[in-house]
Amino acid sequence: MIGAIVSAIIIGAIVGALARLLVPGKQNMSIGLTLIVGIVAALIGTLIAHWAGLADTRGIDWIEHILQLVLAVIGVLLVTRMGISRAGRSGRTHT
């Protein structure tokens, strides 16, 4: 159980960082939000890969990792389009 949590955090961090690199333009996201998007994408990608029978292969599960990366890119796009960013750095004034 602990190993699964640690691997989700590590894979989530890698997938989240790669997704931010692949999305064009500047993303005003904190490292913590990037990590959360990556972890969620990693978990959902793993669930989909297991459901589709693609997760248990010999060697590295490339299809599962590509699926996680695609989901992370979608997650980064959604977060940046929704305007969720670093608190206090958006430059918006509320009236």
Side-chain angles (χ1 to χ4, degrees), residues 8-91:
I9 292 171
I10 292 170
I11 291 173
I14 294 168
V15 168
L18 284 173
R20 282 191 62 183
L21 288 172
L22 291 174
V23 173
K26 184 176 187 246
Q27 299 86 34
N28 194 18
M29 292 174 60
S30 67
I31 293 173
L33 189 55
T34 302
L35 184 63
I36 290 170
V37 168
I39 290 171
V40 169
L43 292 174
I44 293 173
T46 299
L47 289 174
I48 292 172
H50 278 286
W51 176 74
L54 302 171
D56 295 323
T57 60
R58 292 171 43 178
I60 298 174
D61 297 326
W62 289 110
I63 296 173
E64 179 181 358
H65 294 310
I66 290 170
L67 182 61
Q68 292 169 339
L69 182 59
V70 168
L71 290 172
V73 167
I74 292 169
V76 168
L77 286 171
L78 287 174
V79 167
T80 56
R81 299 296 185 249
M82 290 174 38
I84 301 171
S85 62
R86 296 180 184 188
R89 300 189 90 188
S90 64

